[in-house]
Amino acid sequence: MTIPTTMITTMAQTTRFDPGLLTLAQWLSPAYPLGGFAYSHGLETAIRAGWIASATDLSTWLEDLTQHGSGRSDATFLWRGYRAETIADLLAVDAEARAFAPAAERQREGARQGTAFARTTAAIWGIKLPPLLLPVAVGQAARRMALDPQATCALYLQSFLSNLVSAAVRLVPLGQTEGQAALAALAPLITRVAAEAEMAEEVYSNAFLSDIAALHHETLDPRLFQS
């Protein structure tokens, strides 16, 4: 069963909120079968090394990742994926995004989740996408569904960080309330980075410790996560 985009437009005419938010909430929910629970984005290494041992440490790590690291670069590539008008443009954005991955596991994380996203989204909404990293795939799918790109970017970042909070709750360990408090505190930063990424002319990442953690995770033993 595929859901036509005209149905979204019809719903928008009869509701007092953007029904596209329901689609975004579904795409970026932990229930969407991307396998995100299997990835820690290097967090497992950081916790094993003692760099993250409390809720305060986690908050600082996630703030840096969002403002200076892969959170910001993912947001930028999501916007570029949204703007891509042709398959050639889209594949060029994806190639650049892959080149910016600082570790093999980081690239694999984005590629496998992007493939899973494309497979499920094609089955339900009929959107056919080539193999893409997750942020690029989400951006292009949002374009084809005429969804709000800034909302897409903000909810993508929240989903990304929520997955890391979930990993930290299990690994540090932290209480569920501490983890959710850390995520809630990031809301203003998520909103700002999503807006800034729209106008970004350059892609950069200065969260070097996170990148080092991702590199070291490739030889971490034993380990629970794939990244």
Side-chain angles (χ1 to χ4, degrees):
M1 175 183 178
T2 58
I3 300 175
T5 55
T6 53
M7 183 178 295
I8 300 294
T9 303
T10 301
M11 291 167 62
Q13 295 170 349
T14 58
T15 60
R16 288 184 290 177
F17 71 95
D18 180 2
L21 293 176
L22 296 178
T23 302
L24 290 174
Q26 183 174 355
W27 286 357
L28 300 168
S29 161
Y32 211 64
L34 304 185
F37 60 86
Y39 303 97
S40 82
H41 208 69
L43 200 67
E44 185 172 18
T45 308
I47 293 169
R48 183 83 62 85
W51 301 337
I52 300 174
S54 67
T56 300
D57 295 339
L58 176 65
S59 293
T60 300
W61 185 275
L62 296 182
E63 286 171 9
D64 287 345
L65 199 61
T66 305
Q67 186 162 352
H68 304 295
S70 53
R72 179 178 290 276
S73 57
D74 273 9
T76 303
F77 284 121
L78 187 150
W79 272 101
R80 292 184 180 186
Y82 186 93
R83 292 194 180 103
E85 296 183 356
T86 67
I87 293 297
D89 291 341
L90 187 61
L91 293 177
V93 170
D94 186 69
E96 185 179 7
R98 290 173 189 266
F100 267 85
E105 286 188 351
R106 282 276 183 86
Q107 188 178 116
R108 192 181 307 125
E109 174 185 332
R112 288 180 176 175
Q113 291 189 79
T115 297
F117 175 85
R119 181 171 55 247
T120 303
T121 305
I124 299 173
W125 286 274
I127 298 173
K128 305 296 185 181
L129 297 173
L132 301 168
L133 295 188
L134 181 61
V136 182
V138 171
Q140 179 64 194
R143 175 190 178 90
R144 297 190 189 184
M145 292 284 288
L147 302 179
D148 183 332
Q150 196 163 115
T152 302
C153 191
L155 288 171
Y156 173 91
L157 286 173
Q158 186 185 52
S159 176
F160 165 67
L161 294 168
S162 179
N163 189 63
L164 297 187
V165 166
S166 178
V169 165
R170 286 173 278 167
L171 289 172
V172 172
L174 297 176
Q176 293 282 355
T177 300
E178 286 182 300
Q180 290 304 309
L183 182 62
L186 290 167
L189 180 59
I190 289 171
T191 303
R192 177 163 62 82
V193 170
E196 291 172 353
E198 178 182 5
M199 307 304 295
E201 296 182 0
E202 298 180 345
V203 182
Y204 66 89
S205 175
N206 297 328
F208 301 121
L209 198 58
S210 173
D211 296 342
I212 291 170
L215 289 166
H216 281 296
H217 191 271
E218 294 176 7
T219 57
L220 190 68
D221 187 35
R223 59 182 183 173
L224 297 175
F225 293 87
Q226 294 185 32
S227 72

